[in-house]
Structures are given as structure tokens and as C-alpha cells.
Amino acid sequence: MSDQAFVTLATNDLYGKGALVLGTSLRNHKTTRQLVVLVSPQVSNNMRAVLGKIFDEVVLVNVLDSKDSAHLAMIKRPELGVTFTKLHCWALARYSKCIFMDADTLVLCNIDELFEREELSAAPDPGWPDCFNTGVFVYRPSIETYNELLQFSTEKGSFDGGDQGLLNSFFSNWATADINKHLPFIYNLSSVAIYSYLPAFKQYGADAKVVHFLGNTKPWNFSYNPKTRCVIGDSHDYSSLTHPEFLNMWWDTFTTSVSPLLTEHGISKEPRSSGTQELILSSNFQEEKLSEAVSQLSFTPPPPVVSSEERRKKWEQGQADYMGEDSFQNIQKKLDAYLN
Ligand code: UDP
Ligand code: MN
């Protein structure tokens, strides 16, 4: 089965961690296929070395960015322009068939049977089920298709600014042409679906084969207590916390198999660890929230004791004043004041 592969993508080290957990989960469930990860130059050499331990191939690709900020703003995910980079997966022409999987997915059992499906097979998107979700899809690498996709992207663009809008326009008859190309939802169970249709989740969730941590809070944005084997959460309503068992599984895989490899290669375990154990969310997540607030609401931070530039530097070094000035509560208060 050397001409078939699972393919994922990471354009930075955080998504690299996701790719490592995904790759480990595929290995743990004894896939007989090759594992390939596409990485962009921004991924550190150390991370590439660790990826090389789990994946058969680490392929360097350049970043393709839609730069379509208008459409990306509609899905509140300004960072997803780079998902056009996914299109490179069609250029892996040495493989006859592949399954692309987002770096924020986790497999719960062997899913090699997906290779029996044809291009383009995918599961419905939970937000608009006549569109397929591009977190998991079966495709046939082909330079011809690759070039067509690149041309399509420059001529037509993407209706959501990311790869999903583009691929749904390109494979536009997916919804109606062939039911065999509709993967069951259990091959791409998104955390969103858990709270949007809880009874269905209770009925069918136990059959899940692939979990997809779709949305702007990723597993690596949470903290984890390895002693209790539980993700640490509080009243913040994050979809993954509604049913944290999958999130706990992700972290369990990370802690058991990935973290030791990262330590061996001198990469810190926690995403930008701050050393503050009580933190509910990682510094990275709070920082994202802060910059989101700044851009969306012209949020002005409280008059800083240190200069704003110094403060920003501290944020970037993961040394925000979480318990004081930069506490989530303070940010929340500012936002509330602004909204009122
Ligand atoms: N991705 C990446 N770097 C980024 C954003 C996305 O490498 O900055 C890749 C990664 O494989 C990710 C996929 O593109 O899983 C799609 O993005 P994401 O999963 O964040 O989108 P969502 O599933 O939440 O819509
Ligand atoms: Mn995803």
C-alpha cells in the first residue's frame, strides 16, 4: 500500500503538534498506508525532525494564502487564508490515492476502508450540509487537477476565503451527484455538532471514527492535568468542553506519545508555556483573544504601567500579567464596557 497515503498540513509549530497527535493516532490504529505531512518554511527545524519520527514523509511546501480578508472576516477566522496551502496535496502525484486530514483531527479507530472511496469523498459540513467539510476528504493526487485548482483559485477565489469555499465550488456537484461520495458524519465528527444536536450525539457519538476540533479553539489551546487525565476548564463555554472526552483523548495521546519526543528535541511541551499552573487557557489563546478584541472592537487596554510596546513584547514571550492587568476578567470587563 505504498502508493496510498494519509496527508496532513502544518504551517506552524502549533499545528505541527496537532499533526503529531493525528499521525500518532493513525499509527496506534495500525494503518497500513503511508503518512505524509506538508510543512511550510515557518515550521521549525526541530518540529520537522519530530514530525519525521512519526510521518514517512515531511514535504516542504510554500504557503499559499488567499489574502481574502473580506470573506475570512465573515467566518471570523482571519488566519485561514493560508489553508489554500492545502491545495499542494494534489501535487503528491507519486501516490495514487490519498486521504487528507486536518491537523486538528484525531482518529479513534482504523479508517483504512476510506481508500475504497473515490475523489472527492467527504462528510457534510455541520454549518451547511450541502457543502462538504474539508477536514477529511478522499482524493486522487494529480498535477493536472493541482494546476486546475490553482487556476480556479486565482480566477474564481473562494466564497469563504479558505480552502473549503474553493474546493466546494470546484467539486460543485458533490451534494447531488453520487451518494457514495458522502462520507458518514462519524468520519468527521466536529465538536460543534456535539452541542448543536446533543440527542444525535448521544445516539450516534459512540460510533465516531474521526473527531475534528473545528473552530478557533484547538486542543492545544487548553491546559491538561496529566494526573487526573482531564482537560482543565471552567465556566467559559467552549464547545469541546461540553463533552470533554475527545479533548481528553487528544491530550492523552499528546502526553503519552508526543510530548516525550518534543522534549527530546528541545521543544517545550506546553504551547508557549507561561509557568502559571492555574491558568485555564494557554497564553496563546488569551493572546489571540486580545488581538481579536483589538481588531474587532478597537479595544483599548487599560493604561499600562509598562509601555504598551513592552507589554506587547511580554505577551509575545508568553509573560503576560495573567493575574493582574492582563487577566481574562479585565479584558472581559473592557469588552463589556465597550459593548454597553
Ligand atoms: N492550517 C495550518 N496553519 C494555520 C491554519 C490552518 O497549518 O495557520 C492547516 C491545518 O492542517 C488545519 C487546516 O489547515 O487543520 C484547516 O484549518 P483549521 O483546522 O484551523 O480550520 P477549521 O477546521 O477550524 O475550519
Ligand atoms: Mn480543522
Side-chain angles (χ1 to χ4, degrees):
M1 292 302 173
S2 59
D3 70 332
Q4 297 187 337
F6 285 97
V7 180
T8 188
L9 162 71
T11 67
N12 57 48
D13 283 16
L14 280 175
Y15 279 95
K17 288 179 183 184
L20 286 167
V21 171
L22 166 64
T24 303
S25 69
L26 284 161
R27 292 251 181 256
N28 286 348
H29 294 291
K30 311 219 173 334
T31 179
T32 58
R33 283 11 184 236
Q34 300 290 295
L35 300 189
V36 178
V37 58
L38 308 176
V39 296
S40 69
Q42 218 196 324
V43 175
S44 69
N45 285 334
N46 283 350
M47 177 55 83
R48 286 185 221 176
V50 182
L51 286 164
K53 300 236 157 188
I54 305 280
F55 288 81
D56 297 295
E57 267 200 275
V58 181
V59 180
L60 185 65
V61 295
N62 62 320
V63 170
L64 301 176
D65 191 337
S66 72
K67 298 205 168 72
D68 183 354
S69 51
H71 282 119
L72 290 165
M74 284 164 65
I75 55 171
K76 298 198 176 66
R77 299 290 300 278
E79 77 279 17
L80 289 193
V82 299
T83 61
F84 268 28
T85 312
K86 229 185 242 189
L87 301 181
H88 285 302
C89 73
W90 264 274
L92 296 169
R94 56 193 167 282
Y95 298 102
S96 64
K97 198 187 276 184
C98 293
I99 317 272
F100 182 90
M101 301 187 75
D102 268 8
D104 60 345
T105 58
L106 174 72
V107 309
L108 308 177
C109 59
N110 185 293
I111 53 166
D112 287 356
E113 71 274 11
L114 282 182
F115 286 94
E116 288 161 24
R117 306 266 181 163
E118 276 312 315
E119 174 171 282
L120 186 290
S121 294
D125 184 79
W128 195 271
D130 280 345
C131 286
F132 54 90
N133 182 276
T134 52
V136 178
F137 60 87
V138 184
Y139 73 101
R140 279 193 181 277
S142 139
I143 297 298
E144 199 186 339
T145 313
Y146 174 65
N147 287 329
E148 281 169 16
L149 278 164
L150 291 187
Q151 195 178 347
F152 192 91
S153 72
T154 47
E155 283 170 8
K156 306 256 167 65
S158 158
F159 66 76
D160 65 7
D163 65 292
Q164 182 159 310
L166 177 83
L167 290 173
N168 271 277
S169 301
F170 190 84
F171 295 100
S172 61
N173 67 359
W174 173 84
T176 51
D178 181 358
I179 194 67
N180 290 316
K181 294 184 179 177
H182 286 227
L183 297 183
F185 198 61
I186 50 171
Y187 285 100
N188 186 347
L189 175 67
S190 59
S191 23
V192 183
I194 297 177
Y195 71 91
S196 61
Y197 196 3
L198 192 58
F201 174 71
K202 291 209 187 292
Q203 180 76 3
Y204 304 115
D207 301 329
K209 291 174 187 280
V210 179
V211 183
H212 184 184
F213 299 96
L214 182 150
N216 53 11
T217 314
K218 300 302 185 195
W220 49 85
N221 297 130
F222 292 87
S223 291
Y224 182 70
N225 182 339
K227 286 203 189 99
T228 58
R229 302 177 95 179
C230 282
V231 165
I232 302 160
D234 75 345
S235 57
H236 298 299
D237 177 31
Y238 298 114
S239 57
S240 308
L241 286 177
T242 315
H243 259 271
E245 53 267 39
F246 296 128
L247 202 52
N248 290 340
M249 274 186 219
W250 188 97
W251 270 99
D252 197 36
T253 309
F254 182 80
T255 313
T256 313
S257 311
V258 175
S259 186
L261 288 178
L262 295 177
T263 311
E264 223 175 86
H265 285 76
I267 303 176
S268 76
K269 283 191 252 176
E270 297 284 329
R272 300 223 220 144
S273 170
S274 68
T276 314
Q277 295 308 313
E278 298 79 8
L279 273 182
I280 306 297
L281 299 168
S282 75
S283 56
N284 174 59
F285 178 70
Q286 294 208 15
E287 187 178 312
E288 257 171 32
K289 284 280 154 203
L290 180 67
S291 56
E292 208 174 89
V294 171
S295 65
Q296 287 180 6
L297 298 164
S298 315
F299 162 70
T300 325
V305 182
V306 288
S307 78
S308 59
E309 208 168 85
E310 266 173 327
R311 187 153 165 245
R312 170 147 203 105
K313 244 191 213 151
K314 287 211 154 163
W315 268 100
E316 284 167 3
Q317 292 163 352
Q319 295 171 351
D321 180 16
Y322 294 111
M323 298 305 160
E325 213 171 14
D326 301 318
S327 73
F328 199 81
Q329 267 166 340
N330 270 352
I331 294 169
Q332 193 87 53
K333 257 190 233 157
K334 271 280 152 190
L335 289 175
D336 288 346
Y338 180 87
L339 291 169
N340 291 335

